[in-house]
Amino acid sequence: MDKKTIEQAAVSAVGNSIGVCGFLSSFIACNDKEPSWDGHVYIYKNKNKKKKEIKGRVAVQIKGTENNNFSKSEISFPILLSDLNNYLNNGGAVFFVVYVKSDGNELLGQIYYATLSPIEIRVLLFEASNQKTKSITLKKFPKNSNEKTMILLNFFENCQKQSSFSTAKLFSLEELENQGILESISIPISIIGNISPKTALLTNEIYLYANIKGGAIAQPLEIIPQKVITFEERPVQITIGDKCFYNKVKIYRQIDKVTITLGESFSMITTCKGDSITIEYKSSNKIRTLAIDLDFMLTCISQGGFQYNGINIPLDITAIDFSKFSVEKGSKLLKYIKKIVCMLDLFSCKEDIDINVLKEQHLKNIDCLVTAIVDKKEVTGLRENLPPILTLPIGNLNFLIFLQKKENAYQIFDFFNTEVVMTYKSEDGEDLLTSQYDILCADDILKLNNIRFDLLLPSFQKVIQNRETIIRANFFYLTY
């Protein structure tokens, strides 16, 4: 096809696509010689399209190119920096590229678009530096009339907000926060028809605006979000048989997919069209969470699915990639992880263990505590002459334990769940009883994760009272 034919086909494709939209009208000339622009799209307040109902107009530029591949969702196309500068000075433009092909009977076109607002153009010019052209990314222009109208309406409104900042300094969020003048952030979006706000956020170009204390208008920030993800938590019952594993799910929506996450490890990913579902399992780094997630995954595999609010969700196990997951190893790991959780509970520790911060010594400490506290066995292999009371670190957690030597082994107990006789020498050199918690310092109270605050006062109260023990108790509680 010759260049003129392609250009006419491209302009016609855009004009026809805009023409079916009730709130839009296009005024675009074929073979127009005007530099940088081919015409405008007018936006109306209602479908009467009367002159008095014009809300505004956006400048457009259309490029046609012969290409038979209409399957791409995004394409790239070079644009002259001189055109970008003209668009910036004119308050922005919508850039269309139309792939044109012939099926033997008629010319067909696939429209791609890029909304070039002043802020977007500034970014492109900065990236282009001293080049003559800049390659830009364009997306498929939608078929739905409301979606097309929404794209152009939001583009127009953002250009209006940004026009006075086309050459002004743009501040970062951090700069405004450091200056203490940031009041709030807004993401303006206009919705047409029955399109949901979430869909509007995902399918439109969005910009962040800062509301400044004492400022009359919101000013655009220098950041332009490249990927928008919406998030919500939804109360549900995720069960397998009679066992409830989760009472909520996390839902992440992107323009092309929806991810439903159960716990922190198990995710179901589906395309927005719902034509495929992918199951992903990525182990959580938190022990308590992993104990639930791994149990759920293994039970799912053995039972062939789960129930979502009572609705059976079958899983085709043969279609899931288990190359990175071993049922046998997972079962052994789960058994051990449940023992670690049991150990935490026996220590009255509500916190969790972060696997990512564990060092080799921490893993050995876990083995010792599981053996002693959960399995109630003596621990061997420890060095001789350990002090009877010491703090055992596990990652960011710290546990105070009591040890009793047994020939070549130790018995280990939770210090706060064991009666330990504690004495001190009085001023007269006499050995007097005191609370076992008298040895705790302020740092212990802050960092110990198995501390039982409900035991402290009764322990001091049951000690035989005298002047010195009362003074020691008072000093302890002043520290506490």
Side-chain angles (χ1 to χ4, degrees):
M1 286 180 284
D2 61 85
K3 184 177 179 181
K4 182 178 180 181
T5 300
I6 294 171
E7 199 68 29
Q8 287 177 336
V11 171
S12 296
V14 173
N16 292 336
S17 182
I18 296 297
V20 299
C21 301
F23 294 90
L24 304 176
S25 289
S26 63
F27 291 84
I28 306 168
C30 284
N31 302 312
D32 187 61
K33 300 301 181 182
E34 183 181 1
S36 299
W37 296 276
D38 288 317
H40 294 84
V41 173
Y42 285 76
I43 305 169
Y44 296 86
K45 298 176 183 177
N46 58 48
K47 295 183 179 181
N48 293 331
K49 295 186 179 180
K50 293 182 179 179
K51 190 182 295 187
K52 63 180 181 179
E53 300 295 339
I54 293 176
K55 183 178 182 69
R57 69 176 188 175
V58 296
V60 298
Q61 174 80 334
I62 302 173
K63 297 292 184 181
T65 182
E66 189 172 4
N67 196 306
N68 294 325
N69 186 3
F70 285 10
S71 64
K72 296 180 180 179
S73 59
E74 290 185 351
I75 63 169
S76 60
F77 197 87
I79 186 170
L80 291 169
L81 262 62
S82 57
D83 284 336
L84 284 175
N85 278 300
N86 289 337
Y87 300 154
L88 179 64
N89 296 331
N90 193 52
V94 180
F95 194 85
F96 289 103
V97 171
V98 183
Y99 278 8
V100 179
K101 70 177 180 180
S102 172
D103 67 353
N105 298 309
E106 61 179 336
L107 295 179
L108 304 175
Q110 173 59 60
I111 306 171
Y112 295 88
Y113 77 99
T115 50
L116 303 176
S117 71
I119 303 303
E120 177 71 30
I121 295 171
R122 286 181 56 160
V123 172
L124 293 172
L125 289 172
F126 176 79
E127 292 175 347
S129 187
N130 296 322
Q131 304 172 40
K132 291 184 178 181
T133 63
K134 170 64 178 173
S135 181
I136 64 171
T137 300
L138 300 94
K139 297 185 291 188
K140 265 188 178 180
F141 201 48
K143 301 291 185 182
N144 183 278
S145 294
N146 287 338
E147 292 179 18
K148 287 185 276 192
T149 303
M150 193 165 59
I151 289 169
L152 291 168
L153 174 60
N154 280 289
F155 172 71
F156 168 74
E157 292 178 342
N158 277 305
C159 287
Q160 293 288 100
K161 291 179 173 67
Q162 297 174 16
S163 59
S164 57
F165 296 92
S166 59
T167 57
K169 172 177 170 53
L170 298 180
F171 291 93
S172 68
L173 187 59
E174 185 179 11
E175 287 176 316
L176 295 176
E177 286 178 329
N178 291 338
Q179 294 177 38
I181 59 176
L182 179 65
E183 191 171 80
S184 61
I185 296 172
S186 59
I187 304 176
I189 195 85
S190 293
I191 299 171
I192 302 294
N194 59 356
I195 296 174
S196 70
K198 290 177 185 176
T199 301
L201 279 171
L202 293 172
T203 56
N204 282 270
E205 304 294 330
I206 64 170
Y207 298 90
L208 304 181
Y209 295 87
N211 300 303
I212 307 300
K213 293 177 182 178
I217 60 172
Q219 66 179 56
L221 294 171
E222 67 174 3
I223 183 173
I224 301 177
Q226 298 300 307
K227 179 186 289 186
V228 179
I229 302 174
T230 65
F231 166 78
E232 66 174 302
E233 277 191 348
R234 184 175 296 176
V236 299
Q237 291 291 308
I238 303 296
T239 58
I240 301 178
D242 296 330
K243 184 174 181 179
C244 181
F245 284 87
Y246 308 103
N247 55 21
K248 65 181 179 182
V249 296
K250 299 172 184 176
I251 303 175
Y252 303 86
R253 298 180 188 274
Q254 295 174 245
I255 189 170
D256 57 344
K257 65 182 179 181
V258 178
T259 302
I260 301 175
T261 300
L262 285 61
E264 293 183 5
S265 310
F266 189 91
S267 297
M268 297 182 295
I269 305 166
T270 179
T271 61
C272 289
K273 295 179 181 179
D275 52 5
S276 66
I277 295 179
T278 303
I279 302 295
E280 282 189 1
Y281 180 83
K282 183 180 180 181
S283 294
S284 170
N285 62 309
K286 301 295 179 62
I287 288 292
R288 289 186 180 277
T289 302
L290 183 56
I292 299 172
D293 291 352
L294 185 53
D295 191 9
F296 175 76
M297 182 64 175
L298 291 168
T299 310
C300 254
I301 292 171
S302 65
Q303 299 298 315
F306 61 94
Q307 291 77 48
Y308 187 107
N309 278 345
I311 300 172
N312 191 47
I313 308 295
L315 295 182
D316 182 3
I317 305 303
T318 61
I320 299 177
D321 180 9
F322 285 115
S323 59
K324 297 181 180 179
F325 184 84
S326 167
V327 172
E328 183 180 355
K329 290 181 181 179
S331 299
K332 290 180 180 179
L333 178 61
L334 177 61
K335 185 177 180 180
Y336 185 65
I337 286 173
K338 285 185 174 181
K339 284 191 174 186
I340 299 175
V341 172
C342 181
M343 178 266 290
L344 292 174
D345 292 341
L346 290 172
F347 270 124
S348 299
C349 174
K350 303 298 182 185
E351 290 81 10
D352 208 345
I353 296 174
D354 186 346
I355 298 171
N356 289 342
V357 300
L358 295 181
K359 299 178 181 178
E360 185 178 352
Q361 186 57 52
H362 296 152
L363 296 173
K364 292 179 180 178
N365 292 345
I366 290 175
D367 283 339
C368 288
L369 293 182
V370 166
T371 300
I373 304 300
V374 180
D375 296 337
K376 300 189 183 303
K377 296 179 180 179
E378 294 179 354
V379 179
T380 59
L382 302 181
R383 66 181 174 85
E384 295 289 331
N385 303 319
L386 285 172
I389 300 171
L390 58 82
T391 299
L392 210 61
I394 297 178
N396 294 327
L397 306 183
N398 295 280
F399 300 96
L400 192 63
I401 59 173
F402 176 68
L403 296 90
Q404 284 185 342
K405 187 75 170 69
K406 297 289 183 180
E407 294 185 2
N408 297 322
Y410 285 94
Q411 283 185 307
I412 301 177
F413 305 94
D414 177 3
F415 181 78
F416 293 93
N417 197 30
T418 306
E419 294 239 358
V420 180
V421 177
M422 194 74 61
T423 62
Y424 71 97
K425 284 194 178 296
S426 68
E427 293 177 355
D428 300 329
E430 183 182 0
D431 287 331
L432 298 177
L433 289 172
T434 185
S435 166
Q436 68 188 75
Y437 307 123
D438 197 4
I439 65 168
L440 299 178
C441 63
D443 192 47
D444 294 325
I445 293 169
L446 289 172
K447 74 178 184 179
L448 290 176
N449 296 96
N450 62 323
I451 191 167
R452 291 274 304 278
F453 292 103
D454 59 313
L455 300 177
L456 304 183
L457 181 58
S459 177
F460 280 96
Q461 288 174 330
K462 73 179 183 180
V463 174
I464 297 174
Q465 302 296 311
N466 60 54
R467 182 176 180 274
E468 287 194 31
T469 57
I470 292 173
I471 290 174
R472 293 180 74 90
N474 285 339
F475 270 112
F476 174 82
Y477 272 93
L478 286 171
T479 301
Y480 168 42

